[in-house]
Amino acid sequence: MLLELDNVKTYYGNIRALKGISIEVNEGEIVCLIGGNGAGKSTTLMTISGILTPEEGRIIYQGQSIISVRPDNIVQMGICQVPEGRMIFPLLTVMENLDMGAYLRKDKDGIKEDFEKVFALFPVLRERSKQAGGTLSGGEQQMLAIGRALMAHPKLLLLDEPSLGLAPILVDTIFDIIRRINQQGTTILLVEQNAQLALQFSHRGYVIETGEIALADTSAALLKNEQVKKAYLGE
Ligand code: ATP
């Protein structure tokens, strides 16, 4: 197992956002977390990234506890998050944004290789390499945010709502690329409000409701689950 969350509880002051979440991610998988607004999906990712510290529970990555490890050290250990809303640096160029993704690395050859990988996945980023990040379209900014995370050479990529605010045709493009990133060897934990899409593109899924795991199964089974169909697939 690559990552395990066991009974993780994360609070914002008195607000109990995660009430005991248990999740497993195996190497090579795409795992999705689906759920409505405010269910605790983003909180789960931020707890894994070390931005939030849980009150209780265990987070084990490659056999080691990562609770209380600093966020930059967690990145160095191979976990990298693409935050909701992209959060690229608007005034830096595309190239500079990508460079920021590699700021903790010293392996120059590896960085060069990963630049090429990112440009192969997102040719538009090469075309726009000198353009300021903030002047890119929404879809291009999402590509840049994913590309920047890949520049950290993650073993586990955490994606928060990659489809948010994108036109349907672009959403398909982004998800095809997410699948390719996975096929190239990166494990992915994905948060999505678009349950249909997330379940189509993942191996397994968890349904999260008000800070608790309500269902866990293969994505194929969740797509057929009556409860999921009613609550999340609009059927
Ligand atoms: P969305 O899809 O709307 O982003 P989510 O499933 O990602 O939803 P979270 O952002 O994890 O949900 O929020 C979980 C709960 O924690 C919500 O009730 C939310 O209001 C609360 N919450 C999130 N961030 C904070 C914060 N900074 N301070 C206080 N409460 C917060």
Side-chain angles (χ1 to χ4, degrees), residues 25-36:
V25 182
N26 298 305
E27 201 152 348
E29 282 188 312
I30 301 181
V31 174
C32 73
L33 288 180
I34 59 174

Side-chain angles (χ1 to χ4, degrees), residues 215-228:
L215 281 169
D217 212 330
T218 62
S219 300
L222 289 174
L223 275 170
K224 289 194 209 128
N225 181 295
E226 290 302 325
Q227 233 176 306
V228 173

Side-chain angles (χ1 to χ4, degrees), residues 42-196:
S42 300
T43 303
T44 303
L45 294 192
M46 288 194 289
T47 305
I48 297 168
S49 300
I51 297 160
L52 299 171
T53 305
E55 301 287 323
E56 260 184 67
R58 299 187 315 147
I59 304 180
I60 307 291
Y61 170 70
Q62 294 189 304
Q64 201 180 328
S65 170
I66 53 166
I67 287 181
S68 303
V69 175
R70 271 175 26 197
D72 54 330
N73 289 335
I74 289 180
V75 172
Q76 259 171 331
M77 290 168 83
I79 301 180
C80 198
Q81 182 173 354
V82 180
E84 184 176 342
R86 300 152 203 151
M87 313 268 249
I88 58 150
F89 302 104
L91 300 178
L92 299 186
T93 66
V94 166
M95 204 65 189
E96 287 164 344
N97 266 280
L98 291 175
D99 235 351
M100 291 298 282
Y103 87 105
L104 291 168
R105 296 175 64 183
K106 292 185 184 76
D107 55 324
K108 280 208 173 113
D109 292 345
I111 293 174
K112 222 172 143 191
E113 230 170 77
D114 283 333
F115 261 118
E116 287 312 313
K117 268 194 198 157
V118 168
F119 287 144
L121 286 167
F122 304 109
V124 68
L125 295 183
R126 192 197 297 273
E127 287 163 29
R128 303 298 173 90
S129 61
K130 294 196 178 76
Q131 191 172 322
T135 65
L136 297 175
S137 72
E140 290 161 355
Q141 289 190 24
Q142 185 59 267
M143 294 177 195
L144 179 55
I146 296 173
R148 186 181 58 188
L150 291 177
M151 289 306 297
H153 203 77
K155 215 173 169 53
L156 174 63
L157 186 63
L158 309 177
L159 293 172
D160 197 346
E161 303 264 3
S163 80
L164 195 77
L166 300 185
I169 183 159
L170 258 177
V171 169
D172 287 342
T173 308
I174 292 278
F175 270 80
D176 280 333
I177 293 169
I178 291 170
R179 183 178 275 159
R180 275 174 62 196
I181 292 169
N182 175 249
Q183 285 165 349
Q184 289 173 3
T186 310
T187 305
I188 293 174
L189 178 60
L190 171 75
V191 157
E192 260 295 338
Q193 281 213 33
N194 187 334
Q196 179 84 39

